[in-house]
Amino acid sequence: MEAKWGVVVVAAGRGTRMGTSESKQYLLLGNKPILVHTLELFESMAEIAEIVVVTGSGEIGRCRELAEQYGLHKVRHVVAGGSERQHSVYKGIAALGNRADWVMVHDAVRPFVTSEAVRACCSAAEQHGAAVLAVPVKDTIKQVNEAGIITATPDRSRLWAIQTPQAFRRELLAEAHEQAAAASFVGTDDAMVVERMGVPVAVAAGDYTNIKITTPDDLPYAEFLLSQRDRREAAE
Ligand SMILES: Nc1ccn([C@@H]2O[C@H](COP(=O)(O)OP(=O)(O)OP(=O)(O)O)[C@@H](O)[C@H]2O)c(=O)n1
Ligand SMILES: C[C@](O)(CO)[C@H](O)COP(=O)(O)O
């Protein structure tokens, strides 16, 4: 299989909601940092040519050492991130340059994404130019005003919770980020910068287990998901 995808793994967040002194992407899950679990998946996929890791400016050396220690040879660049996730992605795309025609952006703190889900996202992107993994929301979602009063109940059948990876033709994503930067637009995911150009972004169905480790209550669930995955792999 042709290795044509570049991956930008963003790992430069402060993890304010996690509240640990250690950046959450470097916390141990089982016996490895969360970031390493994430990188190992992309390292193992034949479609992936190169990985850029974007991390805190004080964590570049440590990140390179982890890549060495765990044999993550596709990690070719480790660069410093920015103040917002979008700025970190922008720096990652710049470090990737024009070496890949297709690029995926993935949160370091989503270590449970599967190769099947990544491939579904890539296929949708190759068909539409841009695609994100997502799951249909399970709860009824309400819009609530500042006084705590419900103002709307959107049709749940049209609501999806968006995940990563998010996959794009590289030139499209680079252009979208350039335009967003010029307009000082900051979104919470990469699809938003592409959507604002009027370009359609497809949704590929993912898994509910592709959680973003965000708050302390995610950690015991993440340990549970890891033990389930280990058990499954041992049985294969
Ligand atoms: N300036 C930033 C902010 C976030 N991220 C990365 O984007 C992903 C998703 O961010 P999230 O975990 O939601 O945010 P954090 O900024 O890490 O956490 P918080 O909002 O609680 O501070 C994470 O892998 C995080 O490291 C990044 O690279 N650069
Ligand atoms: C990109 C993302 O993971 C999609 O769910 C998410 O928007 C990033 O999280 P943040 O907490 O808004 O940084």
mmCIF file of all heavy atoms in Angstrom, residues 17 85 107 110 162-164 166 188-190 212 214, ligand 2:
data_model
loop_
_atom_site.group_PDB
_atom_site.id
_atom_site.type_symbol
_atom_site.label_atom_id
_atom_site.label_comp_id
_atom_site.label_asym_id
_atom_site.label_seq_id
_atom_site.Cartn_x
_atom_site.Cartn_y
_atom_site.Cartn_z
ATOM 1 N N ARG A 17 -8.160 21.537 32.247
ATOM 2 C CA ARG A 17 -9.302 20.821 32.832
ATOM 3 C C ARG A 17 -8.875 19.540 33.537
ATOM 4 O O ARG A 17 -9.565 19.064 34.419
ATOM 5 C CB ARG A 17 -10.347 20.519 31.735
ATOM 6 C CG ARG A 17 -11.086 21.765 31.281
ATOM 7 C CD ARG A 17 -11.906 21.500 30.036
ATOM 8 N NE ARG A 17 -11.067 21.398 28.844
ATOM 9 C CZ ARG A 17 -11.521 21.192 27.611
ATOM 10 N NH1 ARG A 17 -12.831 21.019 27.424
ATOM 11 N NH2 ARG A 17 -10.702 21.139 26.577
ATOM 12 N N ARG A 85 -5.182 25.433 20.181
ATOM 13 C CA ARG A 85 -5.006 24.205 19.390
ATOM 14 C C ARG A 85 -4.793 24.533 17.911
ATOM 15 O O ARG A 85 -3.935 23.965 17.249
ATOM 16 C CB ARG A 85 -6.234 23.294 19.572
ATOM 17 C CG ARG A 85 -6.141 21.975 18.823
ATOM 18 C CD ARG A 85 -7.453 21.202 18.940
ATOM 19 N NE ARG A 85 -7.393 19.921 18.257
ATOM 20 C CZ ARG A 85 -7.487 19.783 16.937
ATOM 21 N NH1 ARG A 85 -7.663 20.841 16.153
ATOM 22 N NH2 ARG A 85 -7.410 18.582 16.400
ATOM 23 N N ASP A 107 -5.646 14.486 17.828
ATOM 24 C CA ASP A 107 -5.333 14.882 19.208
ATOM 25 C C ASP A 107 -4.479 13.806 19.875
ATOM 26 O O ASP A 107 -4.866 12.626 19.883
ATOM 27 C CB ASP A 107 -6.630 14.996 20.033
ATOM 28 C CG ASP A 107 -7.550 16.103 19.569
ATOM 29 O OD1 ASP A 107 -7.051 17.101 19.013
ATOM 30 O OD2 ASP A 107 -8.782 15.980 19.793
ATOM 31 N N ARG A 110 -6.277 11.330 22.277
ATOM 32 C CA ARG A 110 -7.293 10.351 21.819
ATOM 33 C C ARG A 110 -6.549 9.061 21.472
ATOM 34 O O ARG A 110 -6.376 8.724 20.281
ATOM 35 C CB ARG A 110 -8.057 10.877 20.598
ATOM 36 C CG ARG A 110 -9.017 12.017 20.895
ATOM 37 C CD ARG A 110 -9.871 12.320 19.666
ATOM 38 N NE ARG A 110 -10.662 13.516 19.823
ATOM 39 C CZ ARG A 110 -11.907 13.546 20.322
ATOM 40 N NH1 ARG A 110 -12.488 12.434 20.728
ATOM 41 N NH2 ARG A 110 -12.558 14.691 20.410
ATOM 42 N N ILE A 162 -18.049 15.432 17.289
ATOM 43 C CA ILE A 162 -16.901 15.378 16.377
ATOM 44 C C ILE A 162 -15.636 14.953 17.113
ATOM 45 O O ILE A 162 -15.356 15.393 18.228
ATOM 46 C CB ILE A 162 -16.706 16.750 15.697
ATOM 47 C CG1 ILE A 162 -17.993 17.170 14.944
ATOM 48 C CG2 ILE A 162 -15.506 16.738 14.763
ATOM 49 C CD1 ILE A 162 -18.485 16.188 13.893
ATOM 50 N N GLN A 163 -14.886 14.087 16.442
ATOM 51 C CA GLN A 163 -13.646 13.558 17.012
ATOM 52 C C GLN A 163 -12.473 13.905 16.093
ATOM 53 O O GLN A 163 -12.626 14.647 15.126
ATOM 54 C CB GLN A 163 -13.745 12.023 17.116
ATOM 55 C CG GLN A 163 -14.963 11.501 17.879
ATOM 56 C CD GLN A 163 -15.056 9.987 17.840
ATOM 57 O OE1 GLN A 163 -14.481 9.323 16.972
ATOM 58 N NE2 GLN A 163 -15.795 9.421 18.787
ATOM 59 N N THR A 164 -11.344 13.312 16.395
ATOM 60 C CA THR A 164 -10.224 13.270 15.455
ATOM 61 C C THR A 164 -9.867 11.806 15.265
ATOM 62 O O THR A 164 -10.232 10.991 16.121
ATOM 63 C CB THR A 164 -8.996 14.060 15.967
ATOM 64 O OG1 THR A 164 -8.453 13.410 17.116
ATOM 65 C CG2 THR A 164 -9.342 15.504 16.281
ATOM 66 N N GLN A 166 -9.008 14.183 11.778
ATOM 67 C CA GLN A 166 -9.689 14.945 10.752
ATOM 68 C C GLN A 166 -8.733 14.951 9.557
ATOM 69 O O GLN A 166 -7.543 15.248 9.725
ATOM 70 C CB GLN A 166 -10.002 16.349 11.269
ATOM 71 C CG GLN A 166 -10.836 16.269 12.564
ATOM 72 C CD GLN A 166 -11.559 17.533 12.933
ATOM 73 O OE1 GLN A 166 -11.274 18.614 12.402
ATOM 74 N NE2 GLN A 166 -12.511 17.415 13.853
ATOM 75 N N THR A 188 -12.566 25.449 17.109
ATOM 76 C CA THR A 188 -12.156 24.394 18.041
ATOM 77 C C THR A 188 -11.754 23.102 17.328
ATOM 78 O O THR A 188 -11.283 22.173 17.973
ATOM 79 C CB THR A 188 -13.274 24.093 19.071
ATOM 80 O OG1 THR A 188 -14.487 23.832 18.380
ATOM 81 C CG2 THR A 188 -13.462 25.245 20.029
ATOM 82 N N ASP A 189 -11.971 23.049 16.024
ATOM 83 C CA ASP A 189 -11.418 21.904 15.288
ATOM 84 C C ASP A 189 -11.010 22.361 13.892
ATOM 85 O O ASP A 189 -11.207 23.528 13.524
ATOM 86 C CB ASP A 189 -12.388 20.710 15.280
ATOM 87 C CG ASP A 189 -13.579 20.894 14.331
ATOM 88 O OD1 ASP A 189 -13.810 22.028 13.855
ATOM 89 O OD2 ASP A 189 -14.274 19.900 14.074
ATOM 90 N N ASP A 190 -10.415 21.440 13.129
ATOM 91 C CA ASP A 190 -9.890 21.815 11.812
ATOM 92 C C ASP A 190 -10.982 21.885 10.762
ATOM 93 O O ASP A 190 -10.880 22.661 9.812
ATOM 94 C CB ASP A 190 -8.779 20.830 11.428
ATOM 95 C CG ASP A 190 -7.706 20.886 12.469
ATOM 96 O OD1 ASP A 190 -7.004 21.903 12.535
ATOM 97 O OD2 ASP A 190 -7.633 19.951 13.295
ATOM 98 N N LYS A 212 -11.664 11.703 24.060
ATOM 99 C CA LYS A 212 -10.590 12.681 24.293
ATOM 100 C C LYS A 212 -10.394 12.735 25.807
ATOM 101 O O LYS A 212 -11.320 13.086 26.538
ATOM 102 C CB LYS A 212 -10.980 14.056 23.748
ATOM 103 C CG LYS A 212 -9.876 15.092 23.968
ATOM 104 C CD LYS A 212 -10.035 16.280 23.040
ATOM 105 C CE LYS A 212 -11.185 17.172 23.411
ATOM 106 N NZ LYS A 212 -10.990 17.887 24.687
ATOM 107 N N THR A 214 -9.814 14.308 28.848
ATOM 108 C CA THR A 214 -9.945 15.754 29.113
ATOM 109 C C THR A 214 -9.965 16.086 30.598
ATOM 110 O O THR A 214 -9.286 17.017 31.043
ATOM 111 C CB THR A 214 -11.240 16.287 28.447
ATOM 112 O OG1 THR A 214 -11.230 15.946 27.056
ATOM 113 C CG2 THR A 214 -11.358 17.801 28.584
HETATM 114 C C1 LIG B 2 -10.801 18.683 17.816
HETATM 115 C C2 LIG B 2 -11.674 18.124 18.911
HETATM 116 O O1 LIG B 2 -11.048 17.021 19.527
HETATM 117 C C3 LIG B 2 -12.957 17.613 18.283
HETATM 118 O O2 LIG B 2 -13.751 17.066 19.270
HETATM 119 C C4 LIG B 2 -11.993 19.147 19.946
HETATM 120 O O3 LIG B 2 -12.808 20.130 19.420
HETATM 121 C C5 LIG B 2 -10.779 19.735 20.573
HETATM 122 O O4 LIG B 2 -11.077 19.970 21.897
HETATM 123 P P1 LIG B 2 -11.020 21.357 22.642
HETATM 124 O O5 LIG B 2 -11.337 20.956 24.042
HETATM 125 O O6 LIG B 2 -12.080 22.230 22.072
HETATM 126 O O7 LIG B 2 -9.643 21.861 22.431
#
